[in-house]
């Protein structure tokens, strides 16, 4: 590093649920410490404010600190689909020195706001490739480790969905961004006697109740009592990464039905575990997936599911193509190198 003393870095942003943003924070802190950067818990002592969630810069405290200490450098990670928050984005443009984008769509929108490409860095949300990998375990063994009755899935085609898709303020309603109704519509067009929907993660109340209503076979991995009681399970059903890796290895296909995303991390998680995946054109889907894995309509999604289910050669080719696109970004050394470049650029 060119500077005699490494800068002090304050990490801003957390959601306190152990979910996506908290994992981003964990890996950023771990990486920066591994290369000797100094982290501080005092924002006033920091040379760099690294917002792992850009919305945290909208707080009065963050804006005041930047106004009082203009020499502090600010890095903002764009975590979501900006097209729905352009007014909020405009409030922080004067504060930010470096933007970290997770997908090409974010880069285009920032460019349209007049932000120079010289201060934009592409760094997809990190997923631990040492955990999310092909475990080479048979289905029966995976089911046993996950506490699943193997007979309930024997001979079934397992479709996974592990996203948080119910509103925290009203668990009976869906998050519009995740669009769980589309997933239900897709499964309803398949032969339900041969399919089981595997659900995991907190706040799945809406889709579980839709499955019951539509007589869609499903398995929920976690404490079902919270769903039955319509109570929040944000902590109880937040599964650890090792369990999530087992789930990806168990299923035959993962479906992303979202209409608005920054990621989602389910894409690299599925690809790294060699799990076939199809997705709407959201977030970094087109950055990380081959064209054959992208769908635009429910009917197209159904056709892709049937092809992946019935054509082993096609399925293996999709897995290979997705691995080739994703592997370039998902190894820790490459992630660490990109992160160091971002810190260096903020000091220019």
């Amino acid at each position: 590093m060119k500077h005699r003393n490494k800068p002090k870095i304050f990490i801003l942003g957390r959601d306190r649920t152990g979910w996506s943003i908290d994992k981003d924070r964990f890996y950023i802190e771990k990486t920066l410490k591994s290369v000797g950067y100094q982290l501080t818990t005092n924002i006033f002592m920091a040379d760099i404010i690294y917002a792992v969630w850009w919305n945290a810069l909208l707080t009065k405290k963050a804006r005041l600190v930047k106004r009082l200490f203009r020499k502090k450098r600010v890095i903002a990670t764009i975590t979501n689909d900006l097209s729905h928050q352009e007014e909020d984005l405009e409030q922080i443009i004067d504060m930010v020195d470096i933007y970290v984008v997770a997908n090409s769509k974010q880069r285009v929108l920032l460019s349209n706001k007049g932000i120079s490409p010289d201060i934009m860095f592409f760094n997809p949300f990190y997923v631990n490739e040492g955990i999310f990998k092909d475990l080479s375990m048979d289905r029966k063994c995976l089911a046993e480790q996950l506490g699943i009755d193997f007979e309930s899935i024997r001979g079934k085609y397992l479709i996974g969905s592990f996203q948080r898709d119910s509103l925290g303020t009203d668990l009976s309603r869906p998050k519009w961004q995740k669009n769980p109704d589309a997933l239900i519509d897709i499964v309803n067009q398949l032969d339900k006697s041969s399919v089981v929907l595997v659900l995991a993660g907190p706040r799945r109340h809406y889709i579980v109740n839709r499955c019951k209503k539509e007589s869609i076979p499903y398995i929920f991995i976690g404490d079902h009592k919270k769903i039955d009681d319509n109570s929040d399970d944000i902590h109880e059903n937040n599964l650890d990464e090792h369990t999530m890796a087992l789930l990806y290895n168990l299923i035959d296909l993962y479906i992303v039905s979202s209409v608005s995303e920054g990621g989602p991390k389910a894409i690299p998680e599925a690809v790294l575990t060699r799990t076939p995946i199809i997705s709407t054109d959201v977030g970094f889907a087109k950055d990380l997936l081959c064209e054959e894995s992208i769908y635009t309509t429910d009917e197209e999604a159904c056709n892709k599911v049937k092809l992946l289910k019935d054509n082993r050669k096609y399925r293996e080719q999709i897995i290979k193509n997705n691995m080739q696109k994703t592997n370039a970004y998902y190894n820790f050394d490459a992630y660490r190198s990109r992160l160091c470049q971002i810190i260096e650029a903020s000091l220019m």
Side-chain angles (χ1 to χ4, degrees):
M1 190 170 180
K2 296 178 181 178
H3 305 272
R4 181 175 297 176
N5 297 313
K6 288 187 182 291
K8 291 184 174 68
I9 304 171
F10 178 83
I11 308 297
L12 178 66
R14 64 172 76 238
D15 61 16
R16 301 182 187 278
T17 65
W19 201 247
S20 186
I21 292 170
D22 286 340
K23 287 188 175 70
D24 293 339
R25 183 187 181 106
F26 170 81
Y27 283 116
I28 287 172
E29 289 182 344
K30 175 184 175 181
T31 305
L32 294 178
K33 287 178 181 177
S34 75
V35 292
Y37 285 108
Q38 302 178 70
L39 302 186
T40 179
T41 57
N42 187 336
I43 193 171
F44 298 103
M45 296 294 293
D47 302 298
I48 297 171
I49 299 170
Y50 197 127
V52 297
W53 180 43
W54 71 273
N55 301 71
L57 294 171
L58 294 168
T59 63
K60 290 181 179 179
K61 182 179 180 180
R63 296 168 69 82
L64 178 62
V65 168
K66 179 60 175 177
R67 187 163 64 246
L68 294 176
F69 302 94
R70 294 186 178 277
K71 289 186 178 180
K72 291 186 188 294
R73 311 296 284 173
V74 174
I75 300 170
T77 303
I78 308 301
T79 51
N80 48 10
D81 178 0
L82 291 174
S83 63
H84 307 287
Q85 298 188 46
E86 292 190 45
E87 290 184 7
D88 287 339
L89 174 66
E90 289 168 0
Q91 293 183 49
I92 69 161
I93 285 178
D94 292 339
M95 298 174 58
V96 177
D97 300 291
I98 295 290
Y99 292 86
V100 182
V101 298
N103 63 64
S104 300
K105 296 175 185 291
Q106 294 167 341
R107 187 190 294 273
V108 170
L109 191 145
L110 290 175
S111 295
N112 291 340
K113 293 291 182 183
I115 295 169
S116 169
D118 294 337
I119 61 170
M120 283 189 269
F121 288 80
F122 180 61
N123 195 23
F125 309 124
Y126 181 67
V127 167
N128 190 334
E129 74 280 6
I131 296 174
F132 291 94
K133 59 185 178 181
D134 181 1
L135 298 175
S136 299
M137 295 168 60
D138 65 47
R139 177 166 285 183
K140 187 173 184 179
C141 183
L142 288 164
E144 288 174 354
Q145 291 205 27
L146 289 164
I148 297 171
D149 175 14
F150 179 66
E151 291 305 316
S152 68
I153 60 172
R154 183 192 289 271
K156 302 293 186 179
Y157 190 73
L158 305 183
I159 297 176
S161 171
F162 312 142
Q163 62 188 11
R164 191 169 66 188
D165 54 17
S166 298
L167 286 178
T169 54
D170 184 350
L171 295 165
S172 67
R173 297 174 58 196
K175 290 184 72 173
W176 67 267
Q177 298 96 326
K178 302 299 183 180
N179 196 21
D181 289 315
L183 179 58
I184 293 295
D185 291 343
I186 292 167
V187 176
N188 263 333
Q189 295 180 55
L190 302 172
D191 176 7
K192 288 191 284 188
S193 67
S194 65
V195 169
V196 173
L197 194 56
V198 180
L199 305 173
R203 294 181 180 169
R204 307 310 309 274
H205 301 59
Y206 179 80
I207 198 165
V208 165
N209 289 326
R210 281 295 315 269
C211 285
K212 291 178 180 178
K213 182 179 179 181
E214 303 287 338
S215 299
I216 292 174
Y218 78 93
I219 293 173
F220 177 74
I221 310 301
D223 183 0
H224 209 296
K225 292 179 182 178
K226 290 284 184 176
I227 296 177
D228 296 337
D229 296 341
N230 198 40
S231 56
D232 199 358
D233 60 349
I234 191 65
H235 297 292
E236 291 83 354
N237 283 325
N238 192 4
L239 304 179
D240 64 80
E241 291 177 314
H242 293 280
T243 302
M244 296 305 298
L246 289 171
L247 282 166
Y248 281 107
N249 275 267
L250 175 77
I251 62 176
D252 296 292
L253 174 68
Y254 192 95
I255 298 180
V256 175
S257 59
S258 305
V259 294
S260 177
E261 290 276 5
K265 288 177 184 169
I267 290 176
E269 288 170 353
V271 173
L272 292 172
T273 53
R274 298 187 61 83
T275 304
I277 179 171
I278 60 172
S279 173
T280 49
D281 179 16
V282 289
F284 50 34
K286 282 195 172 179
D287 295 308
L288 301 182
L289 298 177
C290 64
E291 195 62 37
E292 291 82 2
S293 281
I294 309 295
Y295 70 89
T296 56
T297 66
D298 294 349
E299 182 180 6
E300 184 183 5
C302 288
N303 291 334
K304 288 182 180 293
V305 172
K306 292 171 184 175
L307 190 56
L308 286 164
K309 182 175 182 290
D310 298 333
N311 190 325
R312 180 176 179 178
K313 184 177 181 180
Y314 177 80
R315 181 170 63 250
E316 290 300 319
Q317 188 61 51
I318 296 302
I319 291 171
K320 180 181 178 181
N321 292 346
N322 285 337
M323 285 289 286
Q324 287 176 343
K325 287 196 72 171
T326 298
N327 268 346
Y329 302 106
Y330 286 92
N331 68 79
F332 185 73
D333 289 342
Y335 173 75
R336 180 174 55 199
S337 176
R338 292 194 300 270
L339 204 51
C340 289
Q341 289 174 16
I342 289 164
I343 298 298
E344 284 288 331
S346 73
L347 298 170
M348 297 297 186

